[in-house]
Amino acid sequence: MAKLFSGLVQQGAWSCLDEFNRIDIEVLSVVAQQLSTVRNALLANAEQFSFEGSVIKLDKKCGVFVTMNPGYAGRTELPDNLKILFRPVSMMIPDYALIAEIMLMAEGFADARVLSQKMVKLYKLSSEQLSQQDHYDFGMRAVKSVLVMAGALKRAHPGLRD
């Protein structure tokens, strides 16, 4: 992680670390110390600073963001010294029907609204009534994959009805 953060701060790059709370607590403690060092350098308006034994330049445009899904098995609670380095933002479940409708419209389907509602209902029922095994995915990724495939079929066979 030190190499990642070193590169980010020197280049002024941003990083989004997905499902951050799946990292082991021991690693999170080290990450907290590293990010605290970067934050202190930013607050001090430093041009360069000592990071993990090397003096590196600091581009103040750098940023680190994390996503977390709390409450699931295998997730850890962030240590307090790491928690204070991030601003929490709550997210809500997206409107799958609206997203599907827009994607279907973009793919050229005239009955996008009706089709999207049917599609979402199908996936909702599937997720509720079919196997709950982890390898079955009835989320947005699966919906998007089917919609993209439907668009490809529509382009391949333009004469077919929606």
Side-chain angles (χ1 to χ4, degrees):
M1 293 298 284
K3 286 183 179 181
L4 171 74
F5 295 141
S6 176
L8 289 173
V9 300
Q10 291 181 77
Q11 298 303 313
W14 291 6
S15 176
C16 182
L17 305 172
D18 193 21
E19 297 207 25
F20 193 62
N21 56 332
R22 292 185 75 176
I23 299 173
D24 291 333
I25 191 73
E26 296 83 16
V27 176
L28 288 175
S29 293
V30 173
V31 168
Q33 188 59 46
Q34 292 169 341
L35 288 175
S36 184
T37 302
V38 172
R39 183 174 186 270
N40 290 337
L42 286 166
L43 290 173
N45 211 17
E47 295 290 323
Q48 54 187 4
F49 70 107
S50 177
F51 184 75
E52 297 291 308
S54 299
V55 175
I56 60 174
K57 88 177 176 79
L58 174 63
D59 187 325
K60 294 167 187 68
K61 295 183 293 259
C62 65
V64 176
F65 307 90
V66 299
T67 67
M68 300 187 325
N69 293 315
Y72 290 99
R75 306 310 201 273
T76 55
E77 185 70 23
L78 293 185
D80 288 338
N81 62 340
L82 186 56
K83 222 183 269 187
I84 62 170
L85 298 175
F86 294 99
R87 293 185 197 149
V89 176
S90 294
M91 305 294 280
M92 57 188 258
I93 297 171
D95 183 346
Y96 283 24
L98 180 60
I99 294 168
E101 179 182 349
I102 292 167
M103 287 187 69
L104 286 167
M105 287 178 131
E107 296 287 357
F109 287 87
D111 293 330
R113 179 163 290 155
V114 174
L115 289 171
S116 69
Q117 290 167 349
K118 287 180 180 180
M119 178 84 177
V120 170
K121 195 171 288 184
L122 171 71
Y123 271 78
K124 185 176 185 316
L125 288 171
S126 297
S127 69
E128 293 169 355
Q129 296 181 6
L130 296 177
S131 175
Q132 298 300 309
Q133 294 178 18
D134 288 340
H135 61 274
Y136 291 109
D137 179 14
F138 300 108
M140 193 67 224
R141 281 189 187 107
V143 171
K144 183 178 185 294
S145 295
V146 170
L147 296 175
V148 168
M149 182 58 70
L153 287 171
K154 179 146 183 76
R155 285 187 297 280
H157 306 284
L160 289 178
R161 295 179 345 147
D162 290 357

